[in-house]
Amino acid sequence: KDFDSHVSHELKAPLASMRETIQLMLDQVPGPLTDKQKRLLELNLQSEYRLTSMVRNLLDLSRIEAGVMEYEMRGQDLVPLVRNAIAEIEVQAGEKQIQLLTAFPEGPVMVECDASRIVQVIVNLAGNAVKFSPKRGTVHVHVEAARSLPPGVPRRWRPLPGAVAKDGCFGLVTVSDLGPGIPDSEKEKVFDRFHQVKRDKKIAGQGVGLGLAISRTIVEAHRGAIWVEDNPGGGCRFFLLLRPGEVRDDERTYTAV
Ligand code: ADP
């Protein structure tokens, strides 16, 4: 916890102030910018985002190792959480002219989760899909309510979500891309710490291989499931499955099943 507050103070605060300064300049508050200056500042801002996300991942890793990762579980509608996550990666997608296509069911999809941690997992999956997609590619994000466990859930995950209550449904998010895909031999390993698939050339914006490992820990704490399959059209498709949550009639607040 000491490490946590130290890092937060010494690294996160100056990073946030750098971000604000760059943003002020990009908004041309101190004065007008040439196109070249604007481009350089945009690159600077992207590096700041990457650094912030790396610091966040390292902090999470230290929390996991110290066993002090905390979750606030509540019944939540998955749809707005996915919308929030997509809003977070829109700039990154725009930079590569990637189209983010979404499909949501009409009604809510109630799940039991810690909202901000689940947004973090979806940002990780959708951010990776954008990162590994070719320029001008397409990334699909779908949300659905599943009555039973989907057929592809790997064996290691099957006992965690268990069976659904009579009238409950699992929440299922799928993120598909048309990138290089992940070979079968690495489909489990990519969820290990620091594991990255070796490729001929370095992918711009690649981190240190912590995002999926943290996502897996978060999903385990939710007794859900996270896995990857080949996308039928090329590339890969990540799945996130969450247990159902429900609305309590007496208080109209959401509680977990
Ligand atoms: P990072 O992306 O920072 O390296 P992650 O833990 O999020 O860390 O991902 C680990 C590795 O899994 C990536 O380095 C990459 O090799 C592989 N990977 C993840 N998502 C995708 C994807 N959508 N397409 C291809 N490879 C992926």
Side-chain angles (χ1 to χ4, degrees):
K1 279 193 172 163
D2 264 6
F3 176 74
D4 214 275
S5 56
H6 234 79
V7 172
S8 295
H9 186 254
E10 302 295 337
L11 277 172
K12 279 166 85 180
L15 278 171
S17 107
M18 276 166 66
R19 179 171 55 239
E20 274 161 33
T21 313
I22 300 169
Q23 197 57 64
L24 265 178
M25 289 167 82
L26 277 171
D27 292 343
Q28 314 203 33
V29 174
L33 295 172
T34 64
D35 284 349
K36 213 166 179 181
Q37 286 169 332
K38 223 168 141 189
R39 182 71 201 133
L40 287 171
L41 283 171
E42 278 163 1
L43 289 174
N44 210 329
L45 195 59
Q46 280 171 27
S47 303
E48 192 280 333
Y49 281 137
R50 274 218 306 283
L51 199 51
T52 299
S53 121
M54 222 176 267
V55 169
R56 204 180 298 141
N57 279 344
L58 288 171
L59 268 178
D60 279 344
L61 187 67
S62 87
R63 281 190 198 120
I64 290 167
E65 285 184 341
V68 293
M69 188 91 150
E70 283 168 2
Y71 299 93
E72 232 181 87
M73 299 291 193
R74 294 208 305 140
Q76 303 268 356
D77 181 3
L78 190 52
V79 173
L81 302 189
V82 174
R83 285 193 199 281
N84 288 351
I86 287 174
E88 278 196 38
I89 58 153
E90 259 164 8
V91 173
Q92 190 190 335
E95 278 283 321
K96 284 179 80 176
Q97 293 161 48
I98 286 174
Q99 243 192 316
L100 292 169
L101 298 179
T102 54
F104 299 111
E106 293 213 334
V109 178
M110 297 305 298
V111 294
E112 180 195 0
C113 73
D114 177 318
S116 64
R117 288 294 176 192
I118 288 306
V119 170
Q120 178 183 353
V121 172
I122 301 163
V123 167
N124 178 217
L125 298 183
N128 278 348
V130 165
K131 194 160 68 180
F132 291 98
S133 283
K135 251 189 157 181
R136 287 179 284 280
T138 313
V139 168
H140 288 263
V141 182
H142 287 202
V143 180
E144 63 190 271
R147 287 229 161 267
S148 53
L149 279 185
V153 184
R155 198 167 312 136
R156 80 180 288 281
W157 288 104
R158 289 190 165 264
L160 280 178
V164 234
K166 262 202 319 318
D167 48 359
C169 281
F170 292 110
L172 184 66
V173 182
T174 56
V175 180
S176 328
D177 65 57
L178 298 171
I182 297 178
D184 283 347
S185 58
E186 312 216 26
K187 283 194 170 67
E188 293 249 354
K189 289 190 194 139
V190 288
F191 292 96
D192 291 342
R193 283 174 195 182
F194 306 114
H195 188 89
Q196 296 183 310
V197 179
K198 294 220 168 15
R199 307 201 194 269
D200 295 343
K201 58 179 183 160
K202 178 120 174 91
I203 308 259
Q206 203 166 4
V208 290
L210 277 178
L212 288 178
I214 292 167
S215 293
R216 180 172 66 182
T217 305
I218 293 172
V219 175
E220 273 166 358
H222 282 74
R223 293 173 55 214
I226 186 168
W227 73 100
V228 60
E229 296 178 10
D230 289 333
N231 185 25
C236 54
R237 179 181 291 176
F238 278 83
F239 293 79
L240 165 67
L241 182 89
L242 292 168
R243 287 156 45 77
E246 81 176 11
V247 184
R248 232 167 62 185
D249 283 339
D250 51 343
E251 293 176 16
R252 307 299 302 161
T253 55
Y254 298 133
T255 50
V257 177

